[in-house]
Amino acid sequence: MADFTPTQGRYLGFILAYTHLHGYPPAESEIAAAMCVSPPSVNQMVKSLEKRGLILRHPGQSRSIKVLVSEDEIPPWNARKKATHPYKQPSRISTAPAAPPANLYVISVFLVGGPVNDKFANKEVSRVIEIRGDQTLEQLHDAIFKAYDRSEEHTYEFQFGKRPFDPDGPNYGVPSPQKRKKVYGDARTTKLDDLDLRPERVFGYWFDFGDDWFHQVQVERIEQAIPTVTYPRVIRRVGKSPPQYRDE
């Protein structure tokens, strides 16, 4: 039988009730709000619960708490004593279930072709970008555009054919009256989740149909997006961005 104090039991009860309701464990900030205590106090309690073998978590990863105690031993959260905190106890467990967390795609973008000068020849220039599954290919294009420090917009296309650069598609960009191929999709409305992407999937990104900047894009992994983080965002840069135009 697990050994824990009444206070630790209330923490375990809340974590378990929240997990059952939402399908995933609470963040420490949500525990702090429900227990009417400071975030540092929650952090210390979580560490204490982990040290006693009552929970399992992955430090640095939000919503990773797993209760290791049998449910029969944990006091129900609704049976807890009323808080004596002067502020009103937030009613978190009684609210409607939150929307499921969004997928997070961690994507590497390698520059593999373009009008670079000798200074950049044979050097790796890559960026790692995080983007949610409910965001579009156009937003991925914007993220790559900014990650490579470009200043002037041009046409672009994502190529998802049998090889990284396959003009026969299926491909996605901004359709024009001349683009009548059945395999041509609209990047402005196509979300990452629509593409059935898997880790290690490789596809092409072609920017500027003239100077022809070619990039190889690879899905590194798929995780869970953090609700409080703004995406897309660049998390890693290798190499300085070459000028958009050779004469710059």
Side-chain angles (χ1 to χ4, degrees):
M1 190 172 191
D3 180 22
F4 50 82
T5 67
T7 300
Q8 291 170 338
R10 289 196 294 273
Y11 275 81
L12 292 171
F14 174 75
I15 295 170
L16 191 63
Y18 188 103
T19 302
H20 283 329
L21 181 61
H22 295 280
Y24 52 88
E28 290 189 7
S29 60
E30 291 164 323
I31 299 174
M35 306 298 292
C36 290
V37 295
S38 66
S41 296
V42 171
N43 184 257
Q44 288 301 315
M45 175 58 77
V46 168
K47 289 181 179 178
S48 176
L49 294 173
E50 181 182 29
K51 188 175 181 180
R52 293 176 66 92
L54 301 173
I55 64 170
L56 177 67
R57 71 185 180 110
H58 301 288
Q61 182 176 331
S62 180
R63 302 185 185 279
S64 65
I65 298 174
K66 181 180 179 182
V67 176
L68 300 179
V69 182
S70 171
E71 293 188 27
D72 296 337
E73 300 180 47
I74 299 175
W77 169 249
N78 289 336
R80 70 196 185 285
K81 294 180 181 179
K82 260 193 170 180
T84 57
H85 196 280
Y87 299 105
K88 185 179 179 182
Q89 180 78 14
S91 178
R92 292 201 173 249
I93 298 302
S94 60
T95 57
N103 286 327
L104 180 68
Y105 294 83
V106 183
I107 293 176
S108 293
V109 183
F110 298 89
L111 180 63
V112 296
V116 298
N117 55 36
D118 293 340
K119 179 181 177 181
F120 295 92
N122 301 317
K123 292 183 178 179
E124 179 182 342
V125 182
S126 64
R127 307 289 183 259
V128 179
I129 296 172
E130 292 181 336
I131 183 169
R132 292 198 319 268
D134 58 2
Q135 293 179 301
T136 65
L137 284 174
E138 181 175 61
Q139 288 172 289
L140 177 57
H141 154 72
D142 291 338
I144 298 173
F145 183 90
K146 294 174 183 176
Y148 278 92
D149 305 301
R150 289 164 181 158
S151 57
E152 189 170 337
E153 280 282 3
H154 286 278
T155 48
Y156 66 90
E157 182 175 281
F158 289 94
Q159 300 182 339
F160 289 88
K162 297 179 180 179
R163 55 188 184 278
F165 300 101
D166 186 353
D168 296 327
N171 300 325
Y172 299 83
V174 179
S176 66
Q178 290 75 32
K179 292 280 186 182
R180 302 213 178 262
K181 296 187 297 182
K182 291 183 179 179
V183 292
Y184 203 85
D186 193 333
R188 297 168 297 183
T189 58
T190 303
K191 300 176 182 178
L192 274 293
D193 278 343
D194 297 335
L195 299 167
D196 193 29
L197 298 175
R198 295 287 185 270
E200 300 185 5
R201 175 69 160 98
V202 177
F203 55 95
Y205 167 69
W206 176 22
F207 172 72
D208 189 347
F209 302 171
D211 278 342
D212 298 328
W213 292 97
F214 289 100
H215 311 72
Q216 181 168 302
V217 186
Q218 177 168 318
V219 180
E220 299 294 345
R221 58 189 181 275
I222 302 174
E223 301 177 344
Q224 186 180 106
I226 302 173
T228 56
V229 173
T230 300
Y231 301 102
R233 66 173 181 174
V234 179
I235 62 170
R236 185 167 181 261
R237 295 171 178 264
V238 176
K240 185 179 178 181
S241 299
Q244 183 169 348
Y245 300 104
R246 186 185 289 271
D247 57 358
E248 290 182 340

